[in-house]
Coordinates of all heavy atoms in Angstrom, one line a residue:
K1 N 5.8 -10.4 0.4 CA 4.7 -11.3 0.1 C 4.6 -12.3 1.3 O 5.6 -12.9 1.7 CB 4.9 -12.0 -1.2 CG 3.7 -12.5 -1.9 CD 4.0 -12.9 -3.3 CE 4.4 -11.8 -4.2 NZ 4.6 -12.2 -5.6
G2 N 3.3 -12.5 1.7 CA 3.1 -13.5 2.8 C 3.2 -12.9 4.2 O 2.8 -13.5 5.1
R3 N 3.8 -11.7 4.3 CA 3.9 -11.0 5.6 C 3.1 -9.7 5.7 O 2.6 -9.4 6.7 CB 5.4 -10.6 5.8 CG 6.3 -11.8 5.8 CD 7.7 -11.4 6.2 NE 8.4 -10.4 5.3 CZ 8.8 -9.2 5.6 NH1 8.7 -8.8 6.9 NH2 9.4 -8.5 4.7
F4 N 2.9 -9.0 4.5 CA 2.1 -7.8 4.5 C 0.8 -8.0 3.8 O 0.7 -8.8 2.9 CB 2.9 -6.7 3.8 CG 4.2 -6.2 4.4 CD1 4.7 -6.8 5.6 CD2 4.8 -5.1 3.9 CE1 5.8 -6.4 6.2 CE2 5.9 -4.6 4.5 CZ 6.5 -5.2 5.6
T5 N -0.2 -7.3 4.3 CA -1.5 -7.3 3.7 C -2.1 -5.9 3.5 O -2.1 -5.2 4.4 CB -2.5 -8.1 4.5 OG1 -2.0 -9.5 4.7 CG2 -3.9 -8.2 3.8
I6 N -2.4 -5.6 2.3 CA -3.0 -4.3 2.0 C -4.5 -4.4 1.9 O -5.1 -5.4 1.5 CB -2.5 -3.7 0.6 CG1 -2.8 -2.2 0.5 CG2 -2.9 -4.6 -0.6 CD1 -2.1 -1.6 -0.7
S7 N -5.2 -3.4 2.4 CA -6.7 -3.3 2.3 C -7.1 -1.9 2.2 O -6.3 -1.0 2.4 CB -7.3 -4.0 3.5 OG -6.9 -3.3 4.7
R8 N -8.4 -1.7 1.8 CA -8.9 -0.4 1.7 C -10.4 -0.4 2.1 O -11.1 -1.4 2.0 CB -8.8 0.2 0.2 CG -9.6 -0.5 -0.8 CD -9.2 0.0 -2.2 NE -9.6 1.4 -2.4 CZ -9.1 2.2 -3.3 NH1 -8.2 1.6 -4.2 NH2 -9.4 3.4 -3.5
D9 N -10.8 0.8 2.6 CA -12.2 1.0 3.0 C -12.6 2.2 2.2 O -12.3 3.4 2.6 CB -12.3 1.2 4.5 CG -13.7 1.3 5.0 OD1 -14.6 1.6 4.2 OD2 -14.0 1.0 6.1
N10 N -13.3 2.0 1.2 CA -13.7 3.2 0.3 C -14.8 4.1 1.0 O -14.9 5.2 0.7 CB -14.3 2.7 -1.0 CG -13.2 2.2 -1.9 OD1 -12.0 2.6 -1.7 ND2 -13.5 1.4 -2.9
A11 N -15.5 3.5 2.0 CA -16.5 4.3 2.7 C -15.8 5.3 3.7 O -16.3 6.4 4.0 CB -17.4 3.4 3.5
K12 N -14.6 4.9 4.1 CA -13.8 5.7 5.1 C -12.7 6.4 4.4 O -11.9 7.1 5.1 CB -13.3 4.9 6.2 CG -14.5 4.3 7.1 CD -13.9 3.5 8.3 CE -15.0 2.9 9.1 NZ -14.5 2.1 10.3
N13 N -12.5 6.2 3.1 CA -11.4 6.9 2.4 C -10.0 6.5 3.0 O -9.2 7.4 3.2 CB -11.5 8.4 2.3 CG -12.6 8.8 1.4 OD1 -13.3 8.0 0.8 ND2 -12.9 10.1 1.3
T14 N -9.8 5.3 3.3 CA -8.6 4.9 4.0 C -8.0 3.6 3.3 O -8.7 2.8 2.7 CB -8.7 4.5 5.5 OG1 -9.7 3.5 5.6 CG2 -9.2 5.8 6.2
V15 N -6.7 3.5 3.3 CA -6.0 2.3 2.9 C -5.0 1.9 4.0 O -4.4 2.8 4.6 CB -5.3 2.5 1.5 CG1 -4.3 3.6 1.6 CG2 -4.7 1.2 1.0
S16 N -4.9 0.7 4.2 CA -4.1 0.2 5.3 C -3.1 -0.9 4.8 O -3.3 -1.5 3.8 CB -5.0 -0.4 6.4 OG -5.9 0.5 6.9
L17 N -2.0 -1.0 5.6 CA -1.0 -2.0 5.4 C -0.7 -2.7 6.7 O -0.1 -2.1 7.6 CB 0.3 -1.3 4.8 CG 1.3 -2.3 4.3 CD1 0.9 -3.1 3.1 CD2 2.6 -1.6 4.0
Q18 N -1.1 -3.9 6.8 CA -0.8 -4.7 7.9 C 0.5 -5.4 7.7 O 0.7 -6.2 6.7 CB -1.9 -5.8 8.2 CG -1.7 -6.7 9.3 CD -1.7 -6.0 10.7 OE1 -2.5 -5.1 10.9 NE2 -0.7 -6.3 11.5
M19 N 1.5 -5.2 8.6 CA 2.8 -5.7 8.4 C 3.1 -6.6 9.6 O 3.1 -6.2 10.7 CB 3.8 -4.5 8.4 CG 3.5 -3.5 7.4 SD 4.8 -2.2 7.2 CE 4.8 -1.5 8.8
N20 N 3.3 -7.9 9.3 CA 3.6 -8.9 10.3 C 5.0 -9.5 10.0 O 5.6 -9.3 9.0 CB 2.6 -10.1 10.2 CG 1.2 -9.6 10.5 OD1 0.9 -8.7 11.3 ND2 0.2 -10.3 9.9
S21 N 5.5 -10.2 11.0 CA 6.8 -10.8 10.9 C 7.9 -9.8 10.4 O 8.7 -10.1 9.5 CB 6.8 -12.0 10.0 OG 5.8 -13.0 10.5
L22 N 7.9 -8.7 11.0 CA 8.8 -7.6 10.5 C 10.2 -8.0 10.7 O 10.6 -8.7 11.6 CB 8.5 -6.3 11.2 CG 7.2 -5.6 10.6 CD1 6.7 -4.6 11.6 CD2 7.5 -4.9 9.3
K23 N 11.0 -7.5 9.7 CA 12.5 -7.8 9.7 C 13.2 -6.4 9.8 O 12.7 -5.4 9.3 CB 12.9 -8.5 8.4 CG 12.1 -9.8 8.2 CD 12.5 -10.4 6.9 CE 11.7 -11.7 6.6 NZ 12.0 -12.3 5.3
P24 N 14.5 -6.5 10.2 CA 15.2 -5.2 10.2 C 15.3 -4.6 8.8 O 15.4 -3.3 8.7 CB 16.6 -5.7 10.7 CG 16.3 -6.8 11.6 CD 15.2 -7.5 10.9
E25 N 15.3 -5.4 7.8 CA 15.4 -4.8 6.4 C 14.1 -4.1 6.0 O 14.1 -3.5 4.9 CB 15.8 -5.9 5.4 CG 15.0 -7.2 5.5 CD 15.7 -8.2 6.3 OE1 16.2 -7.9 7.4 OE2 15.7 -9.4 5.9
D26 N 13.1 -4.3 6.8 CA 11.8 -3.5 6.5 C 11.9 -2.1 7.0 O 11.0 -1.3 6.7 CB 10.6 -4.2 7.1 CG 10.3 -5.5 6.6 OD1 10.4 -5.7 5.3 OD2 10.0 -6.5 7.4
T27 N 13.0 -1.7 7.7 CA 13.2 -0.4 8.2 C 13.2 0.6 7.1 O 14.0 0.5 6.1 CB 14.4 -0.3 9.1 OG1 14.3 -1.1 10.2 CG2 14.7 1.2 9.5
A28 N 12.4 1.6 7.1 CA 12.3 2.6 6.0 C 11.2 3.6 6.4 O 10.4 3.4 7.3 CB 11.9 1.9 4.7
V29 N 11.1 4.7 5.6 CA 10.0 5.6 5.6 C 9.0 5.0 4.6 O 9.3 4.7 3.4 CB 10.4 7.0 5.2 CG1 9.1 7.9 5.2 CG2 11.4 7.5 6.2
Y30 N 7.8 4.8 5.1 CA 6.7 4.3 4.2 C 5.8 5.4 3.7 O 5.3 6.2 4.5 CB 5.9 3.2 5.0 CG 6.7 1.9 5.1 CD1 7.8 1.8 5.9 CD2 6.3 0.8 4.4 CE1 8.5 0.6 6.0 CE2 7.0 -0.4 4.5 CZ 8.1 -0.5 5.3 OH 8.8 -1.6 5.4
F31 N 5.5 5.4 2.4 CA 4.7 6.4 1.8 C 3.5 5.8 1.2 O 3.5 4.7 0.5 CB 5.5 7.1 0.7 CG 6.7 7.8 1.1 CD1 8.0 7.2 1.2 CD2 6.7 9.2 1.5 CE1 9.1 7.9 1.6 CE2 7.8 9.8 1.9 CZ 9.0 9.2 1.9
C32 N 2.4 6.5 1.4 CA 1.1 6.1 0.7 C 1.1 6.9 -0.6 O 1.5 8.1 -0.6 CB 0.0 6.5 1.7 SG -1.7 6.4 1.0
A33 N 0.5 6.3 -1.6 CA 0.4 7.0 -2.9 C -1.0 6.7 -3.6 O -1.5 5.6 -3.4 CB 1.5 6.5 -3.8
A34 N -1.5 7.7 -4.3 CA -2.7 7.6 -5.0 C -2.4 7.7 -6.5 O -1.6 8.5 -6.9 CB -3.7 8.6 -4.6
A35 N -3.1 6.9 -7.3 CA -2.9 6.9 -8.7 C -3.2 8.2 -9.3 O -4.1 9.0 -8.8 CB -3.7 5.8 -9.4
R36 N -2.6 8.5 -10.4 CA -2.9 9.8 -11.1 C -4.3 9.9 -11.7 O -4.9 11.0 -11.7 CB -1.9 10.0 -12.3 CG -0.4 10.1 -11.9 CD 0.4 10.3 -13.1 NE 1.8 10.3 -12.8 CZ 2.5 11.4 -12.4 NH1 1.8 12.6 -12.3 NH2 3.7 11.4 -12.1
D37 N -4.7 8.8 -12.2 CA -6.0 8.8 -13.0 C -7.0 7.8 -12.4 O -6.5 6.7 -11.9 CB -5.7 8.4 -14.4 CG -4.7 9.4 -15.1 OD1 -5.0 10.6 -15.1 OD2 -3.6 8.9 -15.5
P38 N -8.2 8.0 -12.5 CA -9.2 7.1 -12.0 C -9.3 5.8 -12.9 O -9.2 6.0 -14.2 CB -10.5 7.9 -12.0 CG -10.3 8.9 -13.1 CD -8.9 9.3 -13.0
Y39 N -9.5 4.7 -12.3 CA -9.7 3.4 -13.1 C -8.6 3.2 -14.1 O -8.9 2.5 -15.1 CB -11.1 3.5 -13.8 CG -12.2 3.8 -12.8 CD1 -12.8 5.1 -12.9 CD2 -12.6 3.0 -11.8 CE1 -13.8 5.4 -12.0 CE2 -13.6 3.3 -10.9 CZ -14.2 4.5 -11.0 OH -15.2 4.9 -10.2
Y40 N -7.4 3.6 -13.8 CA -6.3 3.5 -14.8 C -5.0 3.6 -14.2 O -4.7 4.5 -13.4 CB -6.5 4.6 -15.9 CG -5.6 4.5 -17.1 CD1 -5.5 3.3 -17.8 CD2 -4.9 5.6 -17.5 CE1 -4.6 3.3 -18.9 CE2 -4.1 5.6 -18.6 CZ -4.0 4.4 -19.3 OH -3.1 4.4 -20.4
V41 N -4.1 2.7 -14.5 CA -2.7 2.8 -14.0 C -1.8 2.5 -15.3 O -1.4 1.4 -15.5 CB -2.4 1.8 -12.9 CG1 -2.8 2.3 -11.6 CG2 -3.0 0.4 -13.2
P42 N -1.5 3.6 -16.0 CA -0.8 3.4 -17.3 C 0.5 2.7 -17.2 O 0.9 2.1 -18.2 CB -0.7 4.8 -17.8 CG -0.7 5.7 -16.6 CD -1.6 5.0 -15.6
Y43 N 1.2 2.8 -16.1 CA 2.5 2.2 -16.0 C 2.5 0.9 -15.1 O 3.6 0.4 -14.8 CB 3.5 3.2 -15.5 CG 3.6 4.5 -16.3 CD1 3.0 5.6 -15.9 CD2 4.2 4.5 -17.6 CE1 3.0 6.8 -16.6 CE2 4.2 5.6 -18.3 CZ 3.6 6.8 -17.9 OH 3.6 7.9 -18.6
G44 N 1.3 0.5 -14.8 CA 1.2 -0.7 -13.9 C 1.2 -0.3 -12.4 O 1.6 0.8 -12.1

């Protein structure tokens, strides 16, 4: 929080993650995910 910003462009079918002030503990494989159902996230 305060370092990363998520955004989406529905016209281009893209979602982005701007990551600033990166730390060594941010090292990982990053995965994009799409919800199972439209207009609904049953588990949050």
Side-chain angles (χ1 to χ4, degrees):
K1 204 170 292 183
R3 299 188 297 122
F4 291 11
T5 302
I6 191 171
S7 60
R8 68 187 295 162
D9 186 336
N10 287 340
K12 296 183 178 179
N13 288 0
T14 59
V15 60
S16 298
L17 186 69
Q18 178 66 41
M19 306 187 297
N20 299 329
S21 302
L22 282 161
K23 304 175 181 180
E25 51 263 45
D26 294 319
T27 295
V29 178
Y30 283 70
F31 296 90
C32 174
R36 295 180 183 275
D37 303 299
Y39 308 108
Y40 186 51
V41 279
Y43 306 103

